[in-house]
């Protein structure tokens, strides 16, 4: 059976995420078709969903305007897997501590936007991630950090005493950009590995 993987394409590294999903699927002998999502009506047909980085206030506004936000809620309620990266993590959070972001409240975390500084403060570091057998080359760009997590949220990674990756039910969320490497293990962890 071919899986349909949807990548929210209102902003962010859409083609890079699509390539990583295809690479992860191939490593698990799964057939996958990646579709881009810019309007309502596509998410309900997706088995997997990815919400990339970008600017969280803009992403949350566009999701609401297009009616995609409610479809994402239904996807999670159906226990279908989601990977949210950087701004995607902020958009899914319960609280972004910023009224300009209309968060979806699907991820039981509180987020500190731009916790690791400006674009000029971007960096890459080897990161130990629960579920991976060796460090992941994590790329942080204007990255958020998770300040607090709910009781059912599993912390997958920390950097500099700050939480930067979690799993909450069907959702895996990272503060970093896994698509900016040639390592698809975070996409595997989200979509093809039992949590």
């Amino acid at each position: 059976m071919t899986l349909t993987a949807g990548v929210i394409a209102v902003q962010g590294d859409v083609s890079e995420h699509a390539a990583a999903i295809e690479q992860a699927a191939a490593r698990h002998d799964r057939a996958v078709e990646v579709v881009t999502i810019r309007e309502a009506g596509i998410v309900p047909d997706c088995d997997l969903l990815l919400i990339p980085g970008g600017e969280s206030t803009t992403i949350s506004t566009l999701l609401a305007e297009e009616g995609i936000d409610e479809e994402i809620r239904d996807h999670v309620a159906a226990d279908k897997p989601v990977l949210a990266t950087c701004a995607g993590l902020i958009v899914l959070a319960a609280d972004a501590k910023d009224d300009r972001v209309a968060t979806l409240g699907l991820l039981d975390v509180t987020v500190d936007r731009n916790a690791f500084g400006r674009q000029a403060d971007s960096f890459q570091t080897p990161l130990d991630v629960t579920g991976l057998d060796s460090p992941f080359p994590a790329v942080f760009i204007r990255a958020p950090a998770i300040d607090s997590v709910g009781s059912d949220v599993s912390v997958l990674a920390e950097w500099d005493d700050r939480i930067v990756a979690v799993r909450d039910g069907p959702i895996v969320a990272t503060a970093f950009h896994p698509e900016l490497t040639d390592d698809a293990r975070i996409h595997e962890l989200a979509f093809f590995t039992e949590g």
Side-chain angles (χ1 to χ4, degrees):
M1 176 186 106
T2 299
L3 298 171
T4 300
V7 180
I8 301 295
V10 295
Q11 269 195 339
D13 297 322
V14 176
S15 61
E16 292 88 344
H17 276 299
I21 292 169
E22 290 167 351
Q23 180 183 344
R27 284 176 47 110
H28 290 265
D29 296 320
R30 300 297 305 267
V32 66
E33 176 190 6
V34 180
V35 296
T36 55
I37 300 166
R38 292 183 180 86
E39 60 194 25
I42 301 170
V43 172
D45 296 326
C46 293
D47 302 298
L48 320 171
L49 191 61
L50 195 142
I51 305 171
E55 212 293 308
S56 55
T57 55
T58 302
I59 293 171
S60 65
T61 299
L62 293 172
L63 292 179
E65 285 177 357
E66 295 298 326
I68 301 170
D69 54 350
E70 290 305 318
E71 293 181 348
I72 294 170
R73 287 189 176 99
D74 292 343
H75 181 93
V76 172
D79 210 33
K80 295 180 179 179
V82 177
L83 174 58
T85 63
C86 199
L89 179 160
I90 297 168
V91 170
L92 290 192
D95 184 2
K97 299 189 293 188
D98 187 331
D99 292 339
R100 296 171 300 167
V101 183
T103 63
L104 299 184
L106 296 171
L107 185 61
D108 192 9
V109 300
T110 300
V111 179
D112 179 8
R113 296 176 70 222
N114 298 329
F116 291 101
R118 300 173 171 268
Q119 190 94 9
D121 300 315
S122 301
F123 64 97
Q124 180 171 334
T125 187
L127 186 68
D128 291 324
V129 179
T130 300
L132 303 185
D133 57 4
S134 62
F136 186 85
V139 178
F140 289 83
I141 302 171
R142 289 177 51 223
I146 297 169
D147 284 339
S148 63
V149 299
S151 58
D152 293 331
V153 177
S154 300
V155 174
L156 300 179
E158 294 183 55
W159 175 254
D160 197 24
D161 296 323
R162 310 217 49 188
I163 300 168
V164 295
V166 295
R167 183 187 290 275
D168 186 1
I171 302 169
V172 169
T174 68
F176 52 90
H177 287 268
E179 78 283 4
L180 296 180
T181 74
D182 58 4
D183 187 334
R185 290 181 297 156
I186 297 294
H187 293 75
E188 289 182 54
L189 191 67
F191 297 137
F192 303 105
T193 305
E194 291 298 319

